[in-house]
Amino acid sequence: HIIVHSFPYAIAFAMPLLITSLGGLFSERSGVVNIGLEGLMVVGGFGSAVCTVALYPSMGAGAVWVSLLAAMAIGAIFSLLHAFASISLNANQVISGTAINMIAGALTVFLARTFTGSGNIQLTQGIPRFDVPFLVDLPIIGPLFFHQTYGTTWLTLLILALGTFVLYKTAFGLRLRACGEHPHAADAAGINVFKVRYAAVMISGALAGLGGATILVTYSGEFSGSVAGM
């Protein structure tokens, strides 16, 4: 009984970490260490909060889904700081990632205070939960996996499957892994290592931004300048 009630929460808490770690995987496999994922999650959460609050009066519940796209775009753009420092300037990737984490927290709280007067942005509504029809009635696994689920959970699992396919079954994925494992060989084969690594870091930024937004629209409901230690 306790497991049945706690399992949906466990899944909801796991999804932001899963999607962010997938983003980290893209960056790492291309040869760029990205420890700025927490900062990118914070930026994504902030973008999602601002977008939801701004669009909710006109769009209603649809604003929450639009805010997820906004979070991905903002995460990808913000990750360009790390990409430029690490790839173009050949700076220390760990220090660059740490700087991203520090900048993100400070900048978003400052902007939130400018907008709202406090460092927090409260959402009027998040993503509603729902039972998956038919599957929720299955014995044992139905109540565990398909009861009171969030739409973002299924979105995350879809992106995970898509990411696996892109990384291991496409030419882009092969080039990306080659840039991480043998950049000189990839360069000799005519692959633009700079472009591939930039793309990989931007993908990691977009997915980390989505992870931060997922926390906000599912169980957090309020932006406060952090991602609860995740």
Side-chain angles (χ1 to χ4, degrees):
H1 188 69
I2 294 171
I3 293 173
V4 168
H5 277 281
S6 61
F7 214 79
Y9 291 99
I11 291 175
F13 274 76
M15 287 304 137
L17 290 176
L18 182 65
I19 195 68
T20 305
S21 60
L22 178 67
L25 174 70
F26 270 89
S27 185
E28 300 277 347
R29 292 309 294 266
S30 76
V32 180
V33 177
N34 191 354
I35 64 164
L37 292 171
E38 184 185 348
L40 295 167
M41 287 174 86
V42 170
V43 169
F46 173 75
S48 175
V50 171
C51 188
T52 303
V53 170
L55 295 178
Y56 192 79
S58 58
M59 292 185 67
V64 179
W65 291 100
V66 174
S67 78
L68 296 180
L69 288 173
M72 291 180 76
I74 290 166
I77 292 166
F78 203 75
S79 69
L80 283 171
L81 286 172
H82 181 57
F84 180 68
S86 302
I87 302 164
S88 298
L89 302 183
N90 211 15
N92 185 302
Q93 296 173 1
V94 174
I95 293 174
S96 170
T98 307
I100 292 277
N101 288 338
M102 296 170 77
I103 291 169
L107 181 65
T108 53
V109 168
F110 170 74
L111 290 174
R113 280 186 180 159
T114 306
F115 292 149
T116 64
S118 73
N120 296 3
I121 301 175
Q122 192 85 36
L123 292 196
T124 45
Q125 185 188 348
I127 284 182
R129 296 178 151 209
F130 65 96
D131 290 347
V132 180
F134 308 118
L135 295 176
V136 75
D137 299 324
L138 291 170
I140 303 174
I141 65 166
L144 291 181
F145 291 99
F146 304 111
H147 174 63
Q148 290 295 290
T149 63
Y150 289 108
T152 48
T153 298
W154 304 106
L155 177 66
T156 297
L157 294 173
L158 178 68
I159 292 173
L160 181 67
L162 191 65
T164 307
F165 177 78
V166 167
L167 208 52
Y168 296 106
K169 300 291 182 188
T170 64
F172 173 75
L174 181 64
R175 287 173 183 166
L176 188 144
R177 287 180 290 129
C179 290
E181 290 165 23
H182 302 288
H184 296 297
D187 191 42
I191 297 167
N192 190 325
V193 177
F194 268 46
K195 278 186 180 176
V196 171
R197 285 182 170 173
Y198 261 90
V201 173
M202 287 184 75
I203 290 169
S204 83
L207 295 181
L210 178 61
T214 301
I215 292 174
L216 186 84
V217 300
T218 52
Y219 57 83
S220 166
E222 181 182 48
F223 175 80
S224 58
S226 73
V227 284
M230 285 206 171

